[in-house]
Amino acid sequence: MSSQPTMVCFGEILWDILPSGRQAGGAPFNVAFHARQSGFDAVLISRVGEDELGIELLDFLREKGIPDETIRRGKTHLTGVVKANVSDRNEVTYQIVQPVAWDYIHWDEDLSQRVAAADFFLFGSLGARSPKSRETLYALLNNARRKVFDINLRPPHYTRSIVEYLLQHADIVKMNHHELAEVTSWYEYPGDEETAMRHLADRFGVRTVCVTRGENGACLWHNGQFWESPGLTVDVQDTIGAGDSFLAALLYHLDRDPKEALDIACATGAYVATQRGATPSYTDADIRKLMTVTAG
């Protein structure tokens, strides 16, 4: 791996419509942002409309230092929006509009080459909800080196068959504890997390499965070993973007020390949860300080 690892994220970029106003969002976009905070050279493959909301999203990307040359523009569909319900600060729910521009991401040679050259290629089930973007995602998976599936189940925007296809093509899978319960219920796996994660990894040939537990931390099955991190107790503002920041930090540190990577990832997610919005700025020193303060 180069001195600065590279990541390409695929899927939705959109506006979250919150009671407090609009915020840029979409899990792949959030991961790309947080990956750059962690130390990756990260870009996002997506699509916006040629409308005011699309122009504002591209401006927001540039403001956050994320290159926009892999974001395509289309005249036929509007930029994506999501209505977020944050009445429960620990469990945000979403109403996701369909169809929108990111449902029509088209394959092209430049995108294929970028994916082939990246250390990590990240995708989720939501980006595969519509035929055109799903076709493009499946084609890009053929060229990807290390494939990261952030399951991100959003009813009714997924099917079991699509999730299983993506699991079959993943090297690393991340989900929350609710998603683990749903997916493993398809196969009647044992109820405890470690055994269920091991069965899932064995069934699909996945080396790494990570499960987040909200305020209770996370657990990791990696190369035949199991680790847990209890998480950190913090004053939560909102949880939007916390899981995405967790994943970016985990991937950045995973190959050096899996247990430390899990601890840092939990601290990163906790830090983001103390801030408003999905994309607050922070440094490695901020995360280490939080780990020290909460440990004390």
Side-chain angles (χ1 to χ4, degrees):
M1 190 175 288
S2 64
S3 57
Q4 184 177 26
T6 54
M7 182 187 297
V8 173
C9 302
F10 176 95
E12 62 274 16
I13 183 172
L14 46 83
W15 287 107
D16 284 320
I17 309 301
L18 304 169
S20 58
R22 281 197 323 249
Q23 291 185 8
F29 160 69
N30 291 340
V31 174
F33 168 81
H34 290 291
R36 295 181 76 87
Q37 297 269 91
S38 292
F40 282 100
D41 179 3
V43 297
L44 172 69
I45 292 175
S46 192
R47 189 177 182 90
V48 298
E50 290 191 345
D51 51 20
E52 184 176 341
L53 290 179
I55 293 170
E56 290 179 5
L57 269 180
L58 294 176
D59 288 343
F60 185 82
L61 254 73
R62 298 184 194 106
E63 177 186 318
K64 293 294 185 178
I66 302 175
D68 65 355
E69 66 264 22
T70 51
I71 310 292
R72 304 299 186 242
R73 302 187 189 189
K75 295 180 179 180
T76 54
H77 293 88
L78 298 176
T79 298
V81 295
V82 168
K83 297 176 182 178
N85 183 342
V86 295
S87 56
D88 181 349
R89 291 186 300 177
N90 292 306
E91 196 70 45
V92 181
T93 57
Y94 303 90
Q95 179 186 347
I96 306 170
V97 176
Q98 184 181 15
V100 291
W102 56 261
D103 288 311
Y104 296 88
I105 304 172
H106 293 254
W107 182 95
D108 65 50
E109 185 61 35
D110 175 62
L111 299 182
S112 181
Q113 290 179 4
R114 284 179 177 269
V115 170
D119 294 305
F120 292 93
F121 178 54
L122 179 136
F123 53 93
S125 61
L126 192 54
R129 71 175 180 175
S130 297
K132 174 50 69 177
S133 290
R134 182 165 66 247
E135 174 188 299
T136 300
L137 172 58
Y138 286 7
L140 293 173
L141 284 170
N142 292 327
N143 290 337
R145 293 157 61 180
R146 199 170 182 188
K147 299 173 280 290
V148 182
F149 182 20
D150 181 11
I151 283 192
N152 200 26
L153 300 180
R154 302 293 185 203
H157 300 283
Y158 64 93
T159 65
R160 174 175 169 175
S161 61
I162 291 173
V163 171
E164 289 181 323
Y165 182 91
L166 296 174
L167 283 168
Q168 289 165 1
H169 289 78
D171 301 302
I172 299 170
V173 176
K174 176 255 185 184
M175 64 186 79
N176 64 37
H177 58 294
H178 300 300
E179 292 163 338
L180 176 68
E182 177 172 348
V183 173
T184 54
S185 73
W186 301 342
Y187 314 112
E188 299 182 357
Y189 288 154
D192 68 283
E193 283 179 324
E194 180 179 351
T195 305
M197 291 164 71
R198 176 170 55 82
H199 277 294
L200 201 62
D202 290 344
R203 184 184 188 96
F204 292 101
V206 176
R207 291 179 55 192
T208 305
V209 178
C210 185
V211 174
T212 57
R213 301 164 168 166
E215 68 273 17
N216 296 314
C219 51
L220 177 69
W221 177 266
H222 179 66
N223 289 342
Q225 292 185 272
F226 182 75
W227 288 273
E228 295 180 276
S229 181
L232 306 177
T233 300
V234 296
D235 181 15
V236 174
Q237 293 298 314
D238 68 58
T239 59
I240 301 174
D244 305 318
S245 66
F246 169 96
L247 180 54
L250 179 74
L251 294 174
Y252 188 76
H253 297 280
L254 182 62
D255 291 334
R256 288 192 285 272
D257 184 328
K259 177 58 170 71
E260 183 183 32
L262 191 63
D263 290 338
I264 294 172
C266 285
T268 304
Y271 181 88
V272 171
T274 68
Q275 310 296 306
R276 293 197 181 276
T279 55
S281 297
Y282 52 88
T283 65
D284 181 67
D286 293 325
I287 305 305
R288 302 283 182 175
K289 180 180 179 181
L290 180 64
M291 295 172 73
T292 302
V293 169
T294 53

